[in-house]
Amino acid sequence: MELLINQLSNDEFEIIIYGDQQTKHVVTLSDELYFSLTSKKISKKELLKYSFQFLLEREPNTTILSSFELTEISKYFPEYLKKVKDFCKI
């Protein structure tokens, strides 16, 4: 699957997933959350790309919420925050 990430504002991004069925998602990512997860070791777009790859390994794009704040992923997948922090240690 291919991802297209468009920045709508400083805190809001549109992610389009091209697969068997195209889906669009609007994700909120505050500067505070971005910094706490990544210590700015990767860009916001890289964090979003990683996060959607994480989701797509666990569910089809058609079941991903159409609009959400990034930390909501951890409500469904508790390991998410640790995986992001581990990824950013690279």
Side-chain angles (χ1 to χ4, degrees), residues 14-46:
E14 175 187 63
I15 292 86
I16 302 171
I17 302 173
Y18 297 97
D20 291 339
Q21 221 177 328
Q22 179 180 314
T23 57
K24 288 185 182 182
H25 312 269
V26 176
V27 180
T28 303
L29 173 56
S30 70
D31 289 338
E32 295 80 18
L33 176 61
Y34 163 67
F35 185 75
S36 73
L37 286 176
T38 69
S39 298
K40 295 187 179 181
K41 291 185 178 183
I42 62 173
S43 70
K44 281 188 174 184
K45 284 188 176 183
E46 288 171 313

Side-chain angles (χ1 to χ4, degrees), residues 70-84:
L70 195 66
T71 55
E72 281 193 50
I73 295 172
S74 64
K75 293 178 185 174
Y76 300 95
F77 303 101
E79 72 276 20
Y80 168 71
L81 297 175
K82 182 182 180 330
K83 293 267 188 188
V84 169

